[in-house]
């Protein structure tokens, strides 16, 4: 039974071994909170908050007094996959500033790696071959970002700061200094046609599924490079490999995949044109996420509108 006036939060994120760490962060950040493990939730009627990653189907629906669902990550598709999800409840996307900073570091690394032709230099090193190349300055390289939300906008600013010619594409039109902003389906072909490196940072929605398939990859200039760090379902792997084989794409840096973990038999692992990273582009610490969530819960209880709530009308 929960103590009087105490809020109860159940946690499924990082497994039972992560619970002591979550408990310690919330003890400091939100002291009047009782934190329970997903596997030992006690009386379900006590639970007002659920901090989750991939909740088991039907478990959230069994909590009659749940007020707010907290995604332990930026994306929410792992919660929407629950067919018994209580659809009337708000879902918080956990987006601490650290998450966008980490993503921007990852994307800056990937873009610089491709821009400076590091894969070619690594191939030369493997052969003991000493040869110069002349990469253009960043100011001559066109980098475009699909998705200008908290992740994409931070990446766009960092890449523009390095000196790249940066453009971006989103649903609604954005205004970001030194970034050419495009909006809507109608502007997608022109946006793609003017890029050397395309970076995908879109959320997983029915509209973005397969968005970088054969048709849109064909709109890129021949030999363009891809950085994929949104969600794997946006880049069909068969289409990606076909575009690489045809020379339409020259290289790809992939952090997200149609199936995760990437199966051992996937050809992507061993393709020299591809760099595979295991969904590590942005992994904010539990402390940073707990800080963001504690602040959001306080504001929620004061009746404030939370800016990073999932919007069912938009699907992200
Ligand atoms: N690899 C990793 O480690 C990692 C870590 C964190 C997040 N992610 C991924 O990154 C995604 C983006 O995160 P975020 O915090 O930046 O999300 P966000 O703030 O919700 O931004 C999403 C962006 O995508 C745009 N967008 C969505 N649907 C669109 C459509 N159909 N057409 C055009 N633009 C569309 C939105 O346009 P508007 O601005 O007009 O709404 C917005 O600019 C997450 O959903 C997650 O999948 C990956």
């Amino acid at each position: 039974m929960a103590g009087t006036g105490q809020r109860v939060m159940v946690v499924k994120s990082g497994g039972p071994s992560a619970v002591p760490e979550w408990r310690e962060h919330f003890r400091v950040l939100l002291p009047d909170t009782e934190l329970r493990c997903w596997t030992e939730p006690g009386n379900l009627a006590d639970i007002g908050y659920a901090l989750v990653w991939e909740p088991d189907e039907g478990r959230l629906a069994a909590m009659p007094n749940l007020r707010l669902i907290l995604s332990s990550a930026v994306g929410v598709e792992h919660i929407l996959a629950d067919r018994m999800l209580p659809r009337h409840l708000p879902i918080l996307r956990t987006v601490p500033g650290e998450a966008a900073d980490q993503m921007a570091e990852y994307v800056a690394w990937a873009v610089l790696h491709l821009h400076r032709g590091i894969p070619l230099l690594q191939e030369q090193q493997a052969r003991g071959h000493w040869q110069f190349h002349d990469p253009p300055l960043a100011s001559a390289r066109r980098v475009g970002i699909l998705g200008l939300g908290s992740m994409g906008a931070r990446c766009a600013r960092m890449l523009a700061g390095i000196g790249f010619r940066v453009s971006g594409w989103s649903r609604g039109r954005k205004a970001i200094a030194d970034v050419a902003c495009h909006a809507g389906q109608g502007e997608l072909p022109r946006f793609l046609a003017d890029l050397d490196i395309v970076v995908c940072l879109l959320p997983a929605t029915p509209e973005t599924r397969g968005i970088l398939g054969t048709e849109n990859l064909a709109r890129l200039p021949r030999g363009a490079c891809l950085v994929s760090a949104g969600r794997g379902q946006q880049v069909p792997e068969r289409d990606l490999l076909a575009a690489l084989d045809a020379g339409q794409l020259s290289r790809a840096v992939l952090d997200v995949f149609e199936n995760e973990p990437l199966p051992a038999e996937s050809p992507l692992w061993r393709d020299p044109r591809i760099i595979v990273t295991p969904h590590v582009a942005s992994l904010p610490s539990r402390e940073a996420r707990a800080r963001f969530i504690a602040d959001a819960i306080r504001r929620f209880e004061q009746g404030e509108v939370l800016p990073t709530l999932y919007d069912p009308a938009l699907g992200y």
Side-chain angles (χ1 to χ4, degrees), residues 93 148-151 171-172 174 203 207 229 231 255 282 316:
R93 301 169 54 247
L148 290 173
S150 52
M151 301 289 141
R171 182 193 295 267
K174 301 282 177 288
E207 285 175 34
R231 283 292 182 265
D255 189 54
S282 174
Y316 59 94

Side-chain angles (χ1 to χ4, degrees), residues 128-204:
H129 181 63
W130 184 277
Q131 189 186 333
F132 301 129
H133 299 280
D134 271 340
L137 277 175
S139 57
R141 195 78 84 179
R142 302 162 298 174
V143 184
I145 303 175
L146 291 157
L148 290 173
S150 52
M151 301 289 141
R154 180 77 185 86
C155 293
R157 288 193 190 94
M158 189 178 281
L159 292 170
I162 294 169
F164 288 105
R165 275 174 60 189
V166 183
S167 58
W169 180 75
S170 52
R171 182 193 295 267
R173 195 171 307 282
K174 301 282 177 288
I176 304 173
D178 301 322
V179 177
C181 294
H182 304 260
Q185 281 297 330
E187 296 184 19
L188 183 59
R190 195 155 50 91
F191 163 73
L192 291 172
D194 195 30
L195 299 181
D196 300 305
I197 300 173
V198 62
V199 179
C200 189
L201 286 173
L202 289 165

Side-chain angles (χ1 to χ4, degrees), residues 214-234:
T214 299
E215 190 181 343
N216 279 331
L217 290 177
R219 294 190 156 116
L220 294 164
R222 191 170 171 75
C225 296
L226 166 71
V227 178
S228 173
R231 283 292 182 265
Q233 46 106 303
Q234 291 148 5

